[in-house]
Coordinates of all heavy atoms in Angstrom, one line a residue:
V1464 N -1.4 -0.6 -12.8 CA -2.1 0.4 -12.1 C -1.1 1.1 -11.1 O -0.4 0.5 -10.4 CB -3.3 -0.1 -11.3 CG1 -4.0 1.0 -10.5 CG2 -4.3 -0.8 -12.3
P1465 N -1.1 2.4 -11.1 CA -0.2 3.2 -10.1 C -0.6 2.9 -8.7 O -1.8 2.8 -8.3 CB -0.5 4.6 -10.5 CG -1.2 4.7 -11.8 CD -1.9 3.4 -11.9
V1466 N 0.4 2.8 -7.8 CA 0.2 2.6 -6.4 C 0.9 3.7 -5.7 O 2.0 4.0 -5.9 CB 0.8 1.2 -6.0 CG1 0.7 1.0 -4.5 CG2 0.2 0.1 -6.7
I1467 N 0.1 4.4 -4.8 CA 0.6 5.6 -4.1 C 1.0 5.2 -2.7 O 0.2 4.5 -2.0 CB -0.5 6.7 -4.0 CG1 -1.0 7.0 -5.4 CG2 0.0 7.9 -3.2 CD1 -2.3 7.9 -5.3
E1468 N 2.2 5.6 -2.3 CA 2.7 5.3 -0.9 C 3.2 6.6 -0.3 O 3.8 7.4 -1.0 CB 3.9 4.3 -0.9 CG 3.5 2.9 -1.4 CD 4.7 2.0 -1.4 OE1 5.7 2.3 -0.7 OE2 4.7 1.0 -2.1
E1469 N 2.9 6.8 1.0 CA 3.3 8.0 1.7 C 4.8 7.8 2.1 O 5.1 6.7 2.6 CB 2.4 8.3 2.9 CG 2.6 9.6 3.5 CD 1.6 10.0 4.5 OE1 0.8 9.1 4.9 OE2 1.5 11.2 4.9
I1470 N 5.6 8.8 1.9 CA 7.0 8.8 2.4 C 7.3 10.1 3.2 O 6.4 11.0 3.2 CB 8.0 8.6 1.2 CG1 7.9 9.7 0.2 CG2 7.8 7.2 0.6 CD1 8.9 9.7 -0.9
D1471 N 8.5 10.2 3.8 CA 8.8 11.4 4.6 C 8.7 12.7 3.8 O 8.2 13.7 4.3 CB 10.2 11.3 5.2 CG 10.3 10.3 6.3 OD1 9.2 9.9 6.9 OD2 11.4 9.8 6.5
K1472 N 9.1 12.7 2.5 CA 9.2 13.9 1.7 C 7.9 14.1 0.9 O 7.8 15.1 0.2 CB 10.3 13.7 0.7 CG 11.7 13.7 1.3 CD 12.8 13.6 0.2 CE 12.9 12.2 -0.3 NZ 13.9 12.1 -1.4
G1473 N 6.9 13.2 1.0 CA 5.6 13.4 0.3 C 5.0 12.1 -0.1 O 4.6 11.3 0.7
I1474 N 5.1 11.8 -1.4 CA 4.6 10.5 -1.9 C 5.5 9.9 -2.9 O 6.3 10.6 -3.5 CB 3.2 10.6 -2.5 CG1 3.2 11.5 -3.8 CG2 2.1 11.1 -1.6 CD1 2.0 11.4 -4.7
I1475 N 5.4 8.6 -3.1 CA 6.1 7.9 -4.2 C 5.0 7.1 -4.9 O 4.1 6.5 -4.3 CB 7.2 7.0 -3.7 CG1 8.0 6.4 -4.8 CG2 6.7 5.9 -2.7 CD1 9.3 5.7 -4.5
V1476 N 5.0 7.2 -6.2 CA 4.1 6.4 -7.0 C 4.9 5.3 -7.7 O 5.8 5.6 -8.4 CB 3.4 7.4 -8.1 CG1 2.4 6.6 -9.0 CG2 2.7 8.5 -7.4
K1477 N 4.4 4.1 -7.5 CA 5.1 2.9 -8.1 C 4.1 2.3 -9.1 O 2.9 2.3 -8.8 CB 5.5 1.9 -7.1 CG 6.5 2.4 -6.1 CD 6.9 1.4 -5.1 CE 7.9 1.9 -4.1 NZ 8.3 0.9 -3.1
V1478 N 4.5 1.9 -10.2 CA 3.6 1.3 -11.2 C 3.6 -0.2 -11.0 O 4.5 -0.9 -11.3 CB 4.1 1.7 -12.6 CG1 3.1 1.1 -13.7 CG2 4.1 3.2 -12.8
G1479 N 2.4 -0.7 -10.5 CA 2.1 -2.1 -10.3 C 2.6 -2.5 -8.9 O 3.5 -2.0 -8.4
S1480 N 1.8 -3.5 -8.4 CA 2.2 -4.1 -7.1 C 3.5 -5.0 -7.4 O 4.3 -5.2 -6.5 CB 1.1 -4.9 -6.5 OG 0.6 -5.8 -7.5
I1481 N 3.6 -5.5 -8.6 CA 4.8 -6.1 -9.1 C 5.4 -5.1 -10.1 O 4.7 -4.7 -11.0 CB 4.5 -7.5 -9.7 CG1 3.9 -8.4 -8.7 CG2 5.8 -8.1 -10.4 CD1 3.4 -9.7 -9.3
E1482 N 6.7 -4.8 -9.9 CA 7.4 -3.8 -10.7 C 7.1 -4.0 -12.2 O 7.4 -5.1 -12.8 CB 8.9 -3.8 -10.4 CG 9.6 -2.6 -10.9 CD 11.0 -2.5 -10.4 OE1 11.1 -2.0 -9.2 OE2 11.9 -2.9 -11.1
H1483 N 6.7 -3.0 -12.9 CA 6.4 -3.0 -14.3 C 7.7 -3.0 -15.1 O 8.7 -2.4 -14.7 CB 5.7 -1.7 -14.7 CG 5.2 -1.6 -16.1 ND1 6.0 -1.4 -17.2 CD2 3.9 -1.8 -16.6 CE1 5.2 -1.4 -18.3 NE2 4.0 -1.7 -18.0
P1484 N 7.8 -3.8 -16.2 CA 9.0 -3.8 -17.0 C 9.4 -2.4 -17.5 O 8.5 -1.6 -17.8 CB 8.6 -4.7 -18.2 CG 7.4 -5.4 -17.8 CD 6.7 -4.6 -16.8
M1485 N 10.7 -2.2 -17.7 CA 11.2 -0.9 -18.2 C 12.2 -1.3 -19.3 O 13.4 -0.9 -19.2 CB 11.8 -0.1 -17.1 CG 10.8 0.4 -16.1 SD 9.5 1.5 -16.8 CE 10.5 3.0 -17.0
E1486 N 11.8 -1.9 -20.3 CA 12.6 -2.4 -21.4 C 12.4 -1.5 -22.6 O 11.4 -0.8 -22.7 CB 12.3 -3.8 -21.8 CG 12.4 -4.8 -20.6 CD 11.7 -6.1 -20.8 OE1 10.9 -6.2 -21.8 OE2 11.8 -7.0 -20.0
E1487 N 13.3 -1.5 -23.6 CA 13.1 -0.7 -24.8 C 11.8 -0.8 -25.5 O 11.2 0.1 -25.9 CB 14.2 -1.0 -25.8 CG 15.6 -0.5 -25.4 CD 15.7 1.1 -25.5 OE1 15.0 1.7 -26.3 OE2 16.5 1.6 -24.7
A1488 N 11.3 -2.1 -25.5 CA 10.0 -2.4 -26.2 C 8.8 -2.2 -25.3 O 7.7 -2.2 -25.9 CB 10.1 -3.8 -26.8
H1489 N 9.0 -2.1 -24.0 CA 7.8 -2.0 -23.1 C 8.2 -1.3 -21.8 O 9.0 -1.8 -21.0 CB 7.4 -3.5 -22.8 CG 6.2 -3.6 -22.0 ND1 5.8 -4.7 -21.3 CD2 5.2 -2.7 -21.7 CE1 4.7 -4.5 -20.6 NE2 4.3 -3.3 -20.9
Y1490 N 7.7 -0.1 -21.7 CA 8.1 0.7 -20.5 C 7.0 1.8 -20.2 O 6.1 2.1 -21.0 CB 9.4 1.4 -20.7 CG 9.5 2.4 -21.8 CD1 9.4 3.8 -21.4 CD2 9.6 2.1 -23.1 CE1 9.5 4.8 -22.4 CE2 9.7 3.0 -24.1 CZ 9.6 4.4 -23.7 OH 9.7 5.4 -24.7
I1491 N 7.1 2.3 -19.0 CA 6.3 3.4 -18.6 C 6.9 4.7 -19.1 O 8.1 5.0 -18.8 CB 6.1 3.5 -17.0 CG1 5.5 2.2 -16.5 CG2 5.3 4.7 -16.6 CD1 4.1 1.8 -17.1
E1492 N 6.1 5.5 -19.8 CA 6.6 6.7 -20.4 C 6.6 7.9 -19.4 O 7.5 8.7 -19.4 CB 5.8 7.1 -21.6 CG 6.0 6.1 -22.8 CD 5.2 6.4 -24.0 OE1 4.0 7.0 -23.8 OE2 5.6 6.1 -25.1
W1493 N 5.5 7.9 -18.6 CA 5.4 9.0 -17.6 C 4.5 8.6 -16.5 O 3.6 7.8 -16.7 CB 5.0 10.3 -18.2 CG 3.9 10.4 -19.1 CD1 3.9 10.4 -20.5 CD2 2.5 10.4 -18.8 NE1 2.7 10.4 -21.0 CE2 1.7 10.4 -20.0 CE3 1.8 10.4 -17.6 CZ2 0.3 10.4 -20.1 CZ3 0.4 10.5 -17.7 CH2 -0.3 10.5 -18.9
I1494 N 4.6 9.3 -15.3 CA 3.8 9.2 -14.2 C 3.3 10.6 -13.9 O 4.1 11.6 -13.8 CB 4.5 8.6 -13.0 CG1 4.9 7.2 -13.3 CG2 3.6 8.6 -11.7 CD1 5.9 6.5 -12.3
E1495 N 2.0 10.8 -13.6 CA 1.4 12.1 -13.3 C 0.5 12.1 -12.1 O -0.2 11.2 -11.9 CB 0.6 12.6 -14.6 CG 0.0 13.9 -14.5 CD -0.7 14.3 -15.7 OE1 -1.4 13.5 -16.3 OE2 -0.6 15.5 -16.1
V1496 N 0.6 13.2 -11.3 CA -0.2 13.4 -10.2 C -1.1 14.6 -10.5 O -0.6 15.6 -10.9 CB 0.6 13.6 -8.9 CG1 -0.3 13.9 -7.7 CG2 1.4 12.4 -8.6
I1497 N -2.4 14.5 -10.2 CA -3.3 15.6 -10.3 C -3.9 15.9 -9.0 O -4.3 15.1 -8.2 CB -4.5 15.2 -11.3 CG1 -4.0 14.7 -12.6 CG2 -5.5 16.4 -11.5 CD1 -3.2 15.7 -13.5
T1498 N -3.9 17.2 -8.6 CA -4.3 17.7 -7.3 C -5.8 18.2 -7.5 O -6.3 18.5 -8.6 CB -3.4 18.8 -6.8 OG1 -3.5 19.9 -7.7 CG2 -2.0 18.3 -6.6
P1499 N -6.5 18.4 -6.3 CA -7.9 18.9 -6.4 C -8.0 20.2 -7.1 O -9.1 20.5 -7.6 CB -8.3 18.9 -4.9 CG -7.4 17.9 -4.3 CD -6.1 18.0 -5.0
D1500 N -7.0 21.1 -7.1 CA -7.1 22.4 -7.8 C -6.6 22.3 -9.2 O -6.3 23.3 -9.8 CB -6.3 23.4 -7.0 CG -4.8 23.1 -6.8 OD1 -4.4 22.0 -7.1 OD2 -4.1 23.9 -6.3
N1501 N -6.6 21.1 -9.8 CA -6.3 20.8 -11.2 C -4.9 21.1 -11.6 O -4.6 21.3 -12.7 CB -7.3 21.5 -12.1 CG -8.6 20.8 -12.1 OD1 -8.7 19.6 -12.0 ND2 -9.7 21.6 -12.1
K1502 N -3.9 21.1 -10.6 CA -2.5 21.2 -11.0 C -2.0 19.8 -11.3 O -2.4 18.8 -10.8 CB -1.7 21.8 -9.8 CG -2.0 23.3 -9.6 CD -1.2 23.9 -8.5 CE -1.5 25.3 -8.4 NZ -0.8 25.9 -7.3
S1503 N -1.1 19.8 -12.2 CA -0.5 18.5 -12.7 C 1.0 18.5 -12.5 O 1.7 19.5 -12.7 CB -0.8 18.4 -14.2 OG 0.0 17.4 -14.8
Y1504 N 1.5 17.4 -11.9 CA 2.9 17.1 -11.7 C 3.3 15.9 -12.4 O 2.7 14.8 -12.2 CB 3.2 17.0 -10.2 CG 2.8 18.3 -9.4 CD1 1.5 18.4 -9.0 CD2 3.7 19.3 -9.2 CE1 1.1 19.6 -8.3 CE2 3.3 20.4 -8.5 CZ 2.0 20.6 -8.1 OH 1.6 21.7 -7.4
K1505 N 4.3 15.9 -13.3 CA 4.6 14.8 -14.2 C 6.1 14.5 -14.2 O 6.9 15.4 -14.2 CB 4.1 15.1 -15.6 CG 4.2 13.9 -16.5 CD 3.7 14.3 -17.9 CE 2.2 14.3 -18.0 NZ 1.7 14.4 -19.4
K1506 N 6.4 13.2 -14.2 CA 7.8 12.8 -14.3 C 7.9 11.9 -15.5 O 7.1 10.9 -15.6 CB 8.3 12.1 -13.1 CG 9.8 11.7 -13.2 CD 10.3 11.0 -12.0 CE 11.8 10.6 -12.2 NZ 12.3 9.9 -11.1
F1507 N 8.8 12.2 -16.4 CA 9.0 11.3 -17.6 C 10.1 10.3 -17.3 O 11.0 10.6 -16.6 CB 9.4 12.2 -18.8 CG 8.3 13.1 -19.3 CD1 8.1 14.4 -18.8 CD2 7.4 12.6 -20.3 CE1 7.1 15.2 -19.2 CE2 6.4 13.4 -20.7 CZ 6.2 14.7 -20.2
L1508 N 9.8 9.1 -17.8 CA 10.8 8.0 -17.6 C 11.3 7.4 -18.9 O 10.8 7.7 -19.9 CB 10.0 6.9 -16.8 CG 9.4 7.3 -15.5 CD1 8.5 6.1 -15.0 CD2 10.4 7.7 -14.5
N1509 N 12.4 6.7 -18.7 CA 13.1 6.1 -19.9 C 13.3 4.6 -19.6 O 13.3 4.2 -18.5 CB 14.4 6.7 -20.1 CG 14.3 8.2 -20.5 OD1 13.7 8.5 -21.5 ND2 14.9 9.0 -19.7
P1510 N 13.4 3.8 -20.7 CA 13.8 2.4 -20.5 C 15.0 2.3 -19.6 O 15.9 3.1 -19.7 CB 14.1 1.9 -21.9 CG 13.3 2.8 -22.8 CD 13.3 4.1 -22.1
G1511 N 15.0 1.4 -18.6 CA 16.0 1.2 -17.7 C 15.8 1.9 -16.4 O 16.4 1.5 -15.4
D1512 N 15.0 2.9 -16.3 CA 14.6 3.6 -15.1 C 13.7 2.7 -14.2 O 13.1 1.7 -14.7 CB 13.8 4.9 -15.3 CG 14.6 6.0 -16.0 OD1 15.9 5.9 -16.0 OD2 14.0 6.9 -16.5
K1513 N 13.7 3.0 -12.9 CA 12.7 2.3 -12.1 C 11.3 2.9 -12.4 O 11.2 4.1 -12.7 CB 13.0 2.5 -10.6 CG 14.2 1.7 -10.2 CD 14.4 1.6 -8.7 CE 13.4 0.8 -8.0 NZ 13.4 -0.6 -8.2
P1514 N 10.3 2.1 -12.4 CA 8.9 2.5 -12.8 C 8.3 3.2 -11.6 O 7.3 2.7 -11.0 CB 8.2 1.3 -13.2 CG 8.8 0.2 -12.4 CD 10.3 0.6 -12.3
E1515 N 8.8 4.3 -11.1 CA 8.3 5.0 -10.0 C 8.8 6.5 -10.0 O 9.7 6.8 -10.7 CB 8.8 4.4 -8.7 CG 10.3 4.4 -8.5 CD 10.8 3.6 -7.3 OE1 10.2 2.5 -7.0 OE2 11.7 4.0 -6.6
A1516 N 8.1 7.3 -9.2 CA 8.4 8.7 -9.2 C 8.0 9.3 -7.8 O 7.0 8.9 -7.2 CB 7.7 9.5 -10.3
E1517 N 8.9 10.1 -7.3 CA 8.6 10.8 -6.0 C 8.1 12.2 -6.3 O 8.5 12.9 -7.2 CB 9.8 10.9 -5.1 CG 10.3 9.6 -4.6 CD 11.5 9.7 -3.6 OE1 11.8 10.8 -3.1 OE2 12.2 8.7 -3.4
F1518 N 7.1 12.6 -5.4 CA 6.6 14.0 -5.5 C 6.5 14.6 -4.1 O 6.1 13.9 -3.2 CB 5.1 14.0 -6.2 CG 5.1 13.4 -7.6 CD1 4.9 12.1 -7.8 CD2 5.3 14.3 -8.7 CE1 4.9 11.5 -9.1 CE2 5.3 13.8 -10.0 CZ 5.1 12.4 -10.2
C1519 N 6.8 15.8 -4.0 CA 6.8 16.5 -2.7 C 5.4 17.1 -2.5 O 5.2 18.3 -2.5 CB 7.8 17.6 -2.6 SG 9.5 17.0 -2.6
L1520 N 4.4 16.2 -2.4 CA 3.0 16.5 -2.2 C 2.5 15.7 -1.0 O 2.8 14.5 -0.9 CB 2.2 16.3 -3.4 CG 2.6 17.0 -4.7 CD1 1.9 16.4 -5.9 CD2 2.1 18.5 -4.5
A1521 N 1.6 16.3 -0.3 CA 0.9 15.6 0.8 C -0.1 14.6 0.2 O -0.8 14.9 -0.8 CB 0.1 16.5 1.7
I1522 N -0.2 13.4 0.8 CA -1.0 12.3 0.2 C -2.5 12.8 0.2 O -3.2 12.4 -0.7 CB -0.8 11.0 1.0 CG1 -1.4 9.8 0.1 CG2 -1.4 11.0 2.4 CD1 -0.9 8.5 0.6
D1523 N -2.9 13.6 1.1 CA -4.3 14.1 1.2 C -4.6 15.2 0.2 O -5.7 15.7 0.0 CB -4.7 14.5 2.6 CG -3.9 15.6 3.2 OD1 -2.9 15.9 2.6 OD2 -4.3 16.1 4.2
N1524 N -3.5 15.6 -0.6 CA -3.7 16.6 -1.6 C -3.6 16.0 -3.0 O -3.3 16.7 -4.0 CB -2.6 17.7 -1.5 CG -2.9 18.9 -2.3 OD1 -4.1 19.3 -2.4 ND2 -1.9 19.6 -2.8
I1525 N -4.0 14.7 -3.1 CA -3.9 14.0 -4.4 C -5.4 13.7 -4.8 O -6.1 13.0 -4.1 CB -3.1 12.7 -4.3 CG1 -1.8 12.9 -3.7 CG2 -3.1 12.0 -5.6 CD1 -0.9 13.9 -4.5
L1526 N -5.8 14.2 -6.0 CA -7.1 13.8 -6.6 C -7.0 12.4 -7.2 O -7.8 11.6 -7.0 CB -7.5 14.9 -7.6 CG -8.9 14.7 -8.2 CD1 -9.9 14.7 -7.1 CD2 -9.1 15.9 -9.2
F1527 N -6.0 12.3 -8.1 CA -5.7 10.9 -8.7 C -4.3 10.9 -9.3 O -3.7 12.0 -9.5 CB -6.8 10.6 -9.8 CG -6.9 11.5 -11.0 CD1 -6.1 11.2 -12.1 CD2 -7.7 12.5 -11.0 CE1 -6.2 12.0 -13.2 CE2 -7.8 13.3 -12.1 CZ -7.0 13.1 -13.2
V1528 N -3.9 9.7 -9.6 CA -2.6 9.5 -10.3 C -2.8 8.7 -11.5 O -3.7 7.8 -11.6 CB -1.7 8.7 -9.3 CG1 -0.3 8.4 -9.9 CG2 -1.4 9.5 -8.0
R1529 N -2.0 9.0 -12.5 CA -2.1 8.1 -13.7 C -0.7 7.9 -14.3 O 0.2 8.7 -14.0 CB -3.1 8.8 -14.8 CG -2.7 10.1 -15.2 CD -3.9 10.7 -16.0 NE -3.5 12.0 -16.5 CZ -4.2 12.7 -17.4 NH1 -5.4 12.2 -17.8 NH2 -3.9 13.9 -17.8
E1530 N -0.6 6.9 -15.2 CA 0.7 6.6 -15.8 C 0.3 6.1 -17.2 O -0.8 5.7 -17.5 CB 1.5 5.6 -15.0 CG 0.7 4.3 -14.7 CD 0.8 3.2 -15.7 OE1 1.4 3.3 -16.8 OE2 0.2 2.2 -15.4
H1531 N 1.4 6.3 -18.1 CA 1.2 5.8 -19.5 C 2.2 4.8 -19.9 O 3.4 5.1 -19.8 CB 1.3 7.1 -20.4 CG 0.8 6.7 -21.8 ND1 1.6 6.3 -22.8 CD2 -0.4 6.8 -22.3 CE1 0.9 6.1 -23.9 NE2 -0.3 6.3 -23.6
C1532 N 1.8 3.6 -20.3 CA 2.6 2.6 -20.8 C 2.7 2.7 -22.3 O 1.6 2.9 -22.9 CB 2.0 1.2 -20.4 SG 2.9 -0.2 -21.1
N1533 N 3.9 2.5 -22.9 CA 4.0 2.7 -24.3 C 3.2 1.6 -25.1 O 2.8 1.8 -26.2 CB 5.4 2.7 -24.8 CG 6.1 1.4 -24.7 OD1 6.0 0.7 -23.7 ND2 6.9 1.0 -25.6
L1534 N 2.9 0.4 -24.5 CA 2.2 -0.6 -25.1 C 0.7 -0.7 -24.7 O -0.2 -0.9 -25.5 CB 2.8 -2.0 -24.8 CG 4.1 -2.4 -25.4 CD1 4.5 -3.8 -25.0 CD2 4.0 -2.2 -26.9
H1535 N 0.4 -0.4 -23.4 CA -0.9 -0.6 -22.9 C -1.7 0.6 -22.6 O -2.8 0.6 -22.1 CB -0.9 -1.5 -21.7 CG -0.2 -2.8 -21.9 ND1 1.0 -3.1 -21.4 CD2 -0.6 -3.9 -22.7 CE1 1.3 -4.3 -21.8 NE2 0.4 -4.8 -22.6
G1536 N -1.1 1.8 -22.9 CA -1.8 3.1 -22.8 C -1.9 3.6 -21.4 O -1.1 3.3 -20.5
L1537 N -3.0 4.4 -21.1 CA -3.2 5.2 -19.9 C -3.9 4.3 -18.8 O -4.9 3.6 -19.1 CB -4.1 6.4 -20.2 CG -4.3 7.4 -19.2 CD1 -3.0 8.1 -18.8 CD2 -5.3 8.5 -19.6
W1538 N -3.3 4.4 -17.6 CA -3.9 3.7 -16.4 C -4.0 4.8 -15.3 O -3.2 5.7 -15.2 CB -3.0 2.6 -16.0 CG -2.9 1.5 -16.9 CD1 -2.2 1.5 -18.1 CD2 -3.6 0.3 -16.8 NE1 -2.4 0.3 -18.7 CE2 -3.3 -0.5 -18.0 CE3 -4.5 -0.3 -15.9 CZ2 -3.8 -1.8 -18.2 CZ3 -4.9 -1.6 -16.1 CH2 -4.6 -2.3 -17.2
K1539 N -5.1 4.7 -14.6 CA -5.4 5.7 -13.5 C -5.8 5.0 -12.2 O -6.3 4.0 -12.2 CB -6.6 6.5 -14.0 CG -7.1 7.6 -13.1 CD -8.3 8.3 -13.7 CE -9.0 9.1 -12.6 NZ -10.2 9.7 -13.1
S1540 N -5.4 5.7 -11.1 CA -5.7 5.3 -9.8 C -6.1 6.5 -9.0 O -5.6 7.6 -9.2 CB -4.5 4.6 -9.1 OG -4.7 4.2 -7.8
S1541 N -7.0 6.3 -8.0 CA -7.4 7.4 -7.2 C -7.0 7.2 -5.8 O -6.5 6.2 -5.4 CB -8.9 7.7 -7.3 OG -9.6 6.5 -7.0

């Protein structure tokens, strides 16, 4: 499940309270943030990357966050 943290530049979304694997056979394909005005911000990831993404958005301007695992599908957090 995506975990949202506030940082100086906006937010960072990390996948899992324990870091998700990022191996060739099992990895997070993308992380997406949806805002209340239905705008979408997405970062695509590759095996070997850290399972996280930074976005220059205020934490109070986030409707929900979701991520897609190549094995386990779509996961959403609000």
Side-chain angles (χ1 to χ4, degrees):
V1464 176
V1466 177
I1467 304 168
E1468 295 179 20
E1469 193 169 15
I1470 58 174
D1471 289 338
K1472 298 182 280 181
I1474 63 165
I1475 187 167
V1476 179
K1477 297 180 179 182
V1478 179
S1480 54
I1481 298 174
E1482 195 171 276
H1483 189 282
M1485 292 297 286
E1486 304 162 352
E1487 286 290 330
H1489 184 199
Y1490 67 99
I1491 300 302
E1492 295 178 326
W1493 49 260
I1494 297 171
E1495 181 179 39
V1496 175
I1497 307 295
T1498 62
D1500 58 354
N1501 288 320
K1502 289 185 180 173
S1503 169
Y1504 300 86
K1505 187 181 281 189
K1506 181 176 179 185
F1507 291 91
L1508 303 173
N1509 296 300
D1512 291 345
K1513 288 194 71 67
E1515 62 187 42
E1517 290 185 17
F1518 298 91
C1519 293
L1520 297 167
I1522 198 163
D1523 59 349
N1524 194 33
I1525 307 301
L1526 185 59
F1527 63 89
V1528 176
R1529 58 188 183 175
E1530 53 89 358
H1531 192 269
C1532 173
N1533 71 317
L1534 288 182
H1535 303 109
L1537 188 64
W1538 292 77
K1539 178 180 165 185
S1540 178
S1541 56

